[in-house]
Amino acid sequence: MSEAAQTLEGWYALHDFRMIDWSAWKRASEADREAALDELHSFLSVWTGVEERKEGSTAFYSIVGQKADFVFMHLRETLEELNELETAFNKTRLAEYTIPVYSYVSIVELSNYMAQPGTDPMQNPEVAARLKPALPKSKHICFYPMNKRREGSDNWYMLSMDERKTMMRSHGMIGRSYAGRVKQIITGSVGFDDWEWGVTLFSDDALTFKKLVYEMRFDEVSARYGDFGTFYVGNLLDGEKFRTMLSV
Ligand code: 76R
């Protein structure tokens, strides 16, 4: 049996993708629309408070294309908290004008492929910060789920630790060449959702997503072993931008 990678886990993650029910929204009275937006504003400020207390983090982005209109990416200490905040949002007036279209449940994950042997990663403040990150306010987000392939002679899970380490090193080196331009958050979802990982990328230049993902396609770990789900890409929102987006 091949050796499982050791993983460190941080905050639980919920990506909650919604569509706007435009006809219902347009039929609503001005007063109802205002009340719905005001209520969203109070949620946003509660979530900002959570982030300031370092008890979690939330990213809020529009989604381009017909797969969704916007996404909340929430990071919280427990699965219960994620459930509570999802339910709380579902009870809001704004939620009456949204249609849930996709969600993803996972947990921030770091693996030991690149770890220095003999060191305790939890003593490293950088590691702790990566497990419980404040999500960046970059201009763009890109999210997609992925698996490592288990097919015939291309089975990631049958490779030795050394073989996987070598490939992950090459993966990490490509990733590092994008340092400062992309922030990636890998969330593990084995046992939680339909794919093995969620990949969430943040950047101020959307084109960097294409360049990075394309370059990685030629790297063995992605070329031979990567299977990918649906891609979602979008732009940073805040209360004001959302109000503008919804003005009818
Ligand atoms: O954590 C680290 O920085 C160490 C190196 C590293 C690991 C262990 C790393 C670096 N990644 C790791 C693990 Mn990654 N990553 C992806 C994708 O589209 C594709 O082809 C794949 C999707 C991208 C774009 C990306 C970017 N990475 C993983 C894992 C877990 C694998 C496992 O355990 O088997 C997955 C699924 C995955 C996928 N990776 C980086 C990046 C970037 C930009 C980096 C550099 C990070 C930095 O050093 O700042």
Side-chain angles (χ1 to χ4, degrees), residues 5 7 109-111 113-114 130 144 146 148 156 168 171-172 174-176 178-179 182 184 186 197 199 201 212-213 216-217 222 228 231:
T7 54
E109 177 190 292
L110 294 178
S111 55
Y113 289 120
M114 304 276 274
R130 287 183 61 186
Y144 52 103
M146 69 171 288
K148 290 281 175 72
W156 177 254
M168 287 309 292
H171 166 85
I174 296 180
R176 278 182 199 177
Y178 286 80
V182 173
Q184 118 276 16
I186 298 301
W197 290 276
V199 179
L201 308 174
L212 166 63
V213 175
M216 283 190 173
R217 287 295 155 99
S222 296
F228 301 92
F231 281 69

Side-chain angles (χ1 to χ4, degrees), residues 104-121:
Y104 204 78
V105 178
S106 54
I107 187 164
V108 178
E109 177 190 292
L110 294 178
S111 55
N112 66 341
Y113 289 120
M114 304 276 274
Q116 299 285 338
T119 58
D120 177 0

